[in-house]
Amino acid sequence: GQQVMQIPQYQHVQEGEDFTTYCNSSTTLSNIQWYKQRPGGHPVFLIQLVKSGEVKKQKRLTFQFGEAKKNSSLHITATQTTDVGTYFCAGPDAGNMLTFGGGTRLMVKP
Amino acid sequence: DAGVIQSPRHEVTEMGQEVTLRCKPISGHNSLFWYRQTMMRGLELLIYFNNNVPIDDSGMPEDRFSAKMPNASFSTLKIQPSEPRDSAVYFCASSLAHDSSNQPQHFGDGTRLSIL
């Protein structure tokens, strides 16, 4: 079945450095969602992308949906310690159920 | 506004015991999801309800797991008998329905379950 794959699994950055996580699907997605889970917390919805090539920004976070709607990225500019957590992408599978990627765990060294 | 409410927050019990996890979705949301999260397997969907009816339970690992939603404001996930490999964080999430894959899901704080 359709899977949403994320890379990298882990990323250590120095505070102030940029960070990017990538999400790839074998099939075209009608939409893609991004979530953030702080350590010890629960996933929290960040944003949804629907249109081909769509780019959305939330302060230092930039979300992009690929032209073919098979991939997406989340870029954080000048990371801060508050950005620590696991970032998940999620997209609909063949049964129209939202399927979560494995997540990228971001660690920020102050 | 109240979010998704789960109880208990933590549960430690001995193997063989029955475990019941509870969830109250956000009022007005008619899709409810139970997930299990572990380091090894990540976030796994166990079962999904729409308008209190189980739609997809293909993620339920074994017959030891069962879930019910007797009304729009309450759901339970039961494990009987529990085993150490059931230790995980169990999340409940809810969303507006009609197209569950196109709606954001709102997660509860989770239940951290440890089976000794």
Side-chain angles (χ1 to χ4, degrees):
Chain A
Q2 181 267 335
Q3 283 187 315
V4 176
M5 307 298 291
Q6 270 187 267
I7 55 170
Q9 277 190 297
Y10 305 94
Q11 182 92 56
H12 291 257
V13 299
Q14 195 72 41
E15 188 174 21
E17 290 181 341
D18 292 356
F19 159 76
T20 305
T21 173
Y22 301 91
C23 184
N24 296 290
S25 169
S26 57
T27 59
T28 301
L29 301 170
S30 60
N31 76 95
I32 195 150
Q33 300 177 20
W34 285 92
Y35 292 74
K36 176 184 178 181
Q37 184 177 18
R38 293 183 187 274
H42 58 274
V44 174
F45 173 77
L46 294 177
I47 207 159
Q48 181 183 41
L49 304 172
V50 177
K51 299 177 183 176
S52 168
E54 188 171 14
V55 178
K56 287 188 177 180
K57 293 191 175 185
Q58 288 179 351
K59 297 183 181 178
R60 293 177 295 103
L61 277 60
T62 302
F63 303 84
Q64 190 162 5
F65 203 6
E67 293 290 340
K69 301 180 75 173
K70 287 187 176 182
N71 56 73
S72 181
S73 65
L74 158 58
H75 179 81
I76 303 178
T77 303
T79 54
Q80 300 175 359
T81 54
T82 52
D83 296 324
V84 164
T86 301
Y87 292 85
F88 294 95
C89 64
D93 65 12
N96 208 35
M97 289 300 303
L98 196 64
T99 300
F100 285 78
T104 296
R105 184 178 170 192
L106 172 64
M107 288 155 280
V108 179
K109 290 176 279 189
Chain B
D1 289 340
V4 174
I5 300 172
Q6 288 186 247
S7 65
R9 290 293 306 277
H10 304 272
E11 174 95 9
V12 180
T13 192
E14 292 185 347
M15 65 177 292
Q17 297 298 308
E18 179 179 290
V19 173
T20 300
L21 310 182
R22 296 172 176 80
C23 176
K24 176 179 168 55
I26 292 173
S27 178
H29 284 190
N30 39 20
S31 289
L32 183 140
F33 309 83
W34 282 101
Y35 290 90
R36 178 172 68 178
Q37 187 175 43
T38 61
M39 289 294 293
M40 290 297 295
R41 301 174 69 90
L43 196 60
E44 302 174 276
L45 177 66
L46 300 177
I47 189 168
Y48 152 53
F49 291 87
N50 191 25
N51 291 323
N52 313 340
V53 176
I55 302 299
D56 184 351
D57 66 353
S58 58
M60 295 286 262
E62 300 172 32
D63 291 345
R64 297 184 296 106
F65 285 68
S66 63
K68 293 182 179 180
M69 193 165 185
N71 57 63
S73 58
F74 184 64
S75 177
T76 59
L77 177 68
K78 191 170 291 188
I79 308 173
Q80 167 62 22
S82 58
E83 296 182 4
R85 59 193 169 122
D86 301 330
S87 299
V89 180
Y90 290 81
F91 288 107
C92 175
S94 70
S95 73
L96 294 169
H98 82 262
D99 182 359
S100 60
S101 72
N102 201 30
Q103 296 291 331
Q105 293 188 12
H106 299 263
F107 285 75
D109 288 336
T111 295
R112 281 150 182 80
L113 178 63
S114 296
I115 309 296
L116 307 176

